[in-house]
Amino acid sequence: MTASTTTMNAGGGAELIDGKAMAAGMTADIREQVEMLVRQGHELPGLAVVLVGNDPASEVYVKNKAIQTHRAGMKSFMQMMPESTSQEELLALIEELNENPKVDGILVQLPLPPQIDAATVTNAIHPDKDVDGLGEVNTGRLALGMENGIVPCTPLGCLKLLQSVHEDMTGLKAVVIGASNLVGRPMAQLLLKANCTVTVAHIHTRNIEELARSADILVVATGKAGLVKGSWIKPGATVIDVGITRVQTPEGKSRLVGDVVFEEASRVAGHITPVPGGVGPMTIACLLHNTFQAASRRRASTEG
Ligand code: NAD
């Protein structure tokens, strides 16, 4: 294990893995690289974010992505479409963005209205511009352990958080709770690529508590607030909490909590991410990273 500048004491024994600080550092580094690209005479990298409808949570996410894109010195193209948008209309916009040389990355905010099939839309994005990494081509590249794919932002963020604690994860036992295409499955692929022995648990898994307790690395992405108790954690384990649930406080306010009972878990774990301030900021930083990588590759390929 390595001492890291992004960890501090979580209060109950575990070191806190500070995703907010790490994400700020990544964004600053990307900004420097963007400035260098521009000094070399290249166009600014550009990210197109498409929002269909008026889901309030999606509006907040999309706005935040635009702010962070500007913070990294890149261009943001916001495409707002009405709730009534047809699949054909959305596919036509994606085709336009695929062809637009100013756009390096395309992200379609999910969920989409019921008349639109998310998989069809995701797969319509050109693989080189698929900065969410959720299309079939990038999913396949990750599954094959290839280096030329784009990795989904949340699991990539989790991997970077883990790497801030573990210089080498070879031979460690990793358990991922949650098997979604967005988080759990790509996370498992990344951990396998990092030479971990990986088990993926989900809603149908038996003896999940015992399984979790065997993990040196435990990544939890279920959306079930407080699912993982302190007793589920192996002493000294590294715990990455991806879950985000908004709950009401007794004072009538609301706050965000993770899938892990933080107070209990931080007494047992070696390292742990907080919610908020752990995986969330790293997801956006990795979106910026993916956009910058996509831009650099496109510029290199048009020069060559
Ligand atoms: P999802 O609903 O698509 O998948 C949930 C997975 O958890 C499924 O595989 C399901 O089988 C499993 N699961 C559900 N209940 C379980 C239980 N009781 N025991 C074991 N497994 C169980 O969710 P998702 O899109 O993967 O998101 C998971 C959570 O992560 C949500 O809270 C979401 O908001 C959060 N999330 C956070 C970020 C971030 O940037 N921090 C990004 C993506 C998702």
Side-chain angles (χ1 to χ4, degrees):
M1 291 202 185
T2 60
S4 162
T5 51
T6 58
T7 59
M8 53 191 172
N9 200 281
E15 295 280 312
L16 194 69
I17 310 173
D18 187 348
K20 204 170 159 192
M22 195 171 174
M26 268 181 77
T27 306
D29 285 350
I30 294 166
R31 192 184 174 95
E32 272 181 27
Q33 293 176 65
V34 168
E35 285 165 1
M36 198 183 295
L37 204 70
V38 172
R39 278 200 298 277
Q40 289 164 352
H42 294 288
E43 282 253 7
L44 274 182
L47 171 66
V49 178
V50 182
L51 176 64
V52 184
N54 309 95
D55 177 60
S58 293
E59 279 177 358
V60 173
Y61 292 145
V62 162
K63 208 170 131 196
N64 204 5
K65 283 168 187 169
I67 292 170
Q68 296 299 328
T69 306
H70 289 299
R71 197 162 282 168
M74 301 192 284
K75 258 194 227 164
S76 155
F77 304 92
M78 293 287 289
Q79 306 282 334
M80 312 294 240
M81 301 183 92
E83 182 80 25
S84 58
T85 302
S86 70
Q87 182 162 306
E88 288 64 37
E89 285 167 325
L90 181 54
L91 290 174
L93 173 67
I94 289 176
E95 200 41 53
E96 225 176 87
L97 295 171
N98 279 340
E99 297 298 325
N100 186 338
K102 291 190 184 309
V103 172
D104 296 290
I106 304 169
L107 181 152
V108 178
Q109 185 67 42
L110 302 177
L112 288 165
Q115 71 276 15
I116 302 176
D117 177 52
T120 303
V121 170
T122 305
N123 286 317
I125 299 170
H126 191 287
D128 296 345
K129 294 191 178 188
D130 171 25
V131 284
D132 246 349
L134 298 174
E136 288 168 357
V137 172
N138 285 310
T139 301
R141 285 174 179 161
L142 180 61
L144 292 171
M146 293 164 75
E147 298 292 338
N148 63 343
I150 301 179
V151 176
C153 306
T154 300
L156 181 59
C158 294
L159 181 75
K160 288 180 186 291
L161 291 168
L162 285 168
Q163 286 169 334
S164 76
V165 176
H166 301 273
E167 206 167 0
D168 183 2
M169 288 184 263
T170 298
L172 294 183
K173 167 126 199 226
V175 172
V176 180
I177 308 185
S180 70
N181 289 337
L182 185 64
V183 189
R185 286 167 196 245
M187 187 72 242
Q189 296 289 359
L190 286 173
L191 289 164
L192 189 58
K193 198 155 178 263
N195 299 326
C196 291
T197 303
V198 186
T199 307
V200 182
H202 45 75
I203 189 81
H204 303 292
T205 300
R206 293 180 194 151
N207 300 330
I208 194 162
E209 185 175 337
E210 199 182 310
L211 187 66
R213 221 178 1 253
S214 71
D216 303 305
I217 290 172
L218 182 64
V219 182
V220 191
T222 66
K224 297 286 170 281
L227 174 74
V228 175
K229 318 284 184 277
S231 60
W232 290 36
I233 291 163
K234 178 176 176 174
T238 302
V239 178
I240 305 289
D241 190 354
V242 184
I244 312 175
T245 306
R246 187 165 286 283
V247 295
Q248 296 299 313
T249 65
E251 299 81 40
K253 295 188 178 156
S254 73
R255 68 184 181 110
L256 295 179
V257 296
D259 292 351
V260 178
V261 182
F262 183 83
E263 297 72 21
E264 290 178 20
S266 58
R267 272 184 238 128
V268 189
H271 293 82
I272 187 166
T273 56
V275 177
V279 175
M282 285 301 287
T283 294
I284 299 191
C286 288
L287 172 66
L288 305 175
H289 166 88
N290 283 351
T291 304
F292 181 76
Q293 292 294 320
S296 303
R297 281 183 192 163
R298 284 186 63 238
R299 280 151 189 68
S301 71
T302 48
E303 273 172 7

